[in-house]
Amino acid sequence: MLSCTLLSSVCRCRQVTGSEAEKAEAAKHFAEINHAYETLSDPEKRQIYDQYGEEGLRQHAGQQGGGQGGGSIFDMFFGGGGPFGQQQDQEERTPKGHDVVVDLFVSLKDLYVGREITTVRDKPVLRPASGTRRCKCKQKLVTRQLGPGMFQQFTQNVCEECPAVKVEREKETINVHVEPGMVEGQEIRFFEEGEPMVDGEPGDLIFKVRTLPHALFKRSGNDLLMDKTISLIDALTGFRHEFEHLDGHKVVLESSKVTRPGDVQTVEGEGMPVYDSASRGRLLVTYTVDFPASLTEEQKATVRSLFGAGNGAAAAA
């Protein structure tokens, strides 16, 4: 921790009256206060003081060429900086208008192959108007000397005079590029196309991708999920089926094995394109077997002869 001697130097500010010698002594104390403030406001100097004391500070000042670093107590009095190194004269953040968020509904095909959507935005814009207005108002710290060694600090609102402005509506055509592989909720941002801000910057216009349902596919990350119903004969003997993908190319689904209800077939590279990449996800096909509603006695006998009598048939016999 910092020495109490150093901290106590900050507390010796008082009204000075009396002889010239007393005033000189007060000026010396004020210089000590400024030195203490500089040390407190500079983390590097604080660490040196904690470890090596005043001698360490003097050596450090010699290495730095005797220049003053950090702030001074004059900065604190006259608005240059806050206590303990918290600078107040940093570049102020420019105010910004509200962002405008719009849901952009697109099809799964749009997200598969990409699409450019043209839309018209009716937006408010700032135009010059007659007259002037108060602008760029700031709270300024003002220091007033009440007497020898006595100061008063207060804040006051300080504004500038700027040309007047008015808000008008303007129509603008915007082309929104939907890139292949974009995902649900992904943002397409147009900087400074949002709500205007007087004496600031406009907000942004943000389109959020919203995916419409598809009749054949469901999306899961970069994969596509598909349900496929096949006949009992196909399930038992194998099949070869073809369907049209989102971009029009043909995809073949085939099997030479027995397919059970709920079996999932994985087709690599037939899923969604991965955003900003050349790779693609998978197509996952879940099979449902369409059983006949009923069989004739002749059909039942044929099935039994092919697969053997089931437990139910044996029990009936």
Side-chain angles (χ1 to χ4, degrees):
M1 297 293 293
L2 278 172
S3 166
C4 292
T5 302
L6 181 59
L7 286 172
S8 63
S9 297
V10 183
C11 304
R12 292 193 213 139
C13 184
R14 62 182 187 273
Q15 181 178 4
V16 180
T17 58
S19 66
E20 293 297 321
E22 291 176 330
K23 292 180 179 179
E25 181 67 16
K28 178 181 177 182
H29 287 327
F30 197 82
E32 292 175 354
I33 292 171
N34 187 50
H35 171 67
Y37 175 79
E38 288 181 4
T39 304
L40 290 171
S41 63
D42 189 327
E44 183 182 7
K45 288 184 179 180
R46 290 185 66 176
Q47 184 177 5
I48 293 172
Y49 184 90
D50 288 340
Q51 294 179 351
Y52 307 109
E54 286 285 342
E55 181 61 26
L57 286 177
R58 282 192 289 270
Q59 292 182 14
H60 175 71
Q63 294 171 357
Q64 298 296 321
Q68 291 187 357
S72 72
I73 198 166
F74 295 100
D75 293 332
M76 183 178 70
F77 278 172
F78 298 103
F84 304 102
Q86 295 178 358
Q87 297 297 320
Q88 296 177 349
D89 59 349
Q90 296 176 352
E91 182 178 352
E92 294 186 5
R93 186 175 181 179
T94 303
K96 192 171 183 177
H98 293 296
D99 292 339
V100 177
V101 181
V102 180
D103 287 334
L104 182 67
F105 291 92
V106 295
S107 68
L108 194 60
K109 179 179 178 181
D110 296 335
L111 298 175
Y112 189 85
V113 300
R115 181 185 172 190
E116 181 176 303
I117 300 174
T118 301
T119 182
V120 177
R121 167 152 163 73
D122 184 2
K123 68 175 185 178
V125 293
L126 298 178
R127 302 294 189 196
S130 59
T132 59
R133 59 184 175 85
R134 298 181 67 190
C135 65
K136 302 179 182 178
C137 296
K138 302 176 182 177
Q139 290 290 323
K140 183 178 181 181
L141 184 65
V142 179
T143 302
R144 177 181 299 167
Q145 185 172 1
L146 302 179
M150 296 184 64
F151 298 90
Q152 179 188 25
Q153 286 186 318
F154 59 93
T155 59
Q156 67 180 20
N157 202 33
V158 178
C159 300
E160 299 180 14
E161 288 286 327
C162 293
V165 295
K166 60 182 178 180
V167 178
E168 295 181 350
R169 308 298 298 187
E170 177 182 88
K171 292 186 182 296
E172 180 183 17
T173 301
I174 296 177
N175 294 321
V176 184
H177 296 275
V178 179
E179 302 292 340
M182 282 186 165
V183 298
E184 176 73 13
Q186 187 166 344
E187 295 183 352
I188 304 172
R189 186 179 294 264
F190 290 81
F191 292 99
E192 298 188 1
E193 288 291 342
E195 294 295 320
M197 168 65 73
V198 178
D199 298 328
E201 298 176 350
D204 298 335
L205 173 62
I206 302 171
F207 290 94
K208 280 196 173 183
V209 173
R210 300 300 181 198
T211 310
L212 296 170
H214 192 269
L216 183 60
F217 300 110
K218 290 182 180 179
R219 184 176 184 176
S220 177
N222 294 318
D223 296 334
L224 286 175
L225 311 181
M226 174 182 169
D227 292 328
K228 177 68 175 175
T229 300
I230 58 176
S231 68
L232 179 59
I233 296 175
D234 286 347
L236 295 174
T237 63
F239 59 87
R240 187 180 191 277
H241 295 295
E242 187 178 84
F243 73 91
E244 186 176 286
H245 212 312
L246 291 166
D247 62 348
H249 80 274
K250 303 297 183 180
V251 178
V252 175
L253 300 175
E254 58 184 339
S255 174
S256 59
K257 300 178 181 180
V258 173
T259 302
R260 296 175 177 82
D263 280 356
V264 178
Q265 181 182 7
T266 300
V267 185
E268 297 291 341
E270 290 294 351
M272 293 294 294
V274 179
Y275 179 68
D276 205 19
S277 171
S279 59
R280 291 180 178 270
R282 305 168 299 170
L283 173 64
L284 304 177
V285 184
T286 301
Y287 287 101
T288 301
V289 178
D290 184 16
F291 287 87
S294 63
L295 293 176
T296 64
E297 291 300 324
E298 182 181 356
Q299 289 172 327
K300 292 177 184 179
T302 302
V303 172
R304 291 191 184 103
S305 67
L306 291 174
F307 298 104
N311 293 335

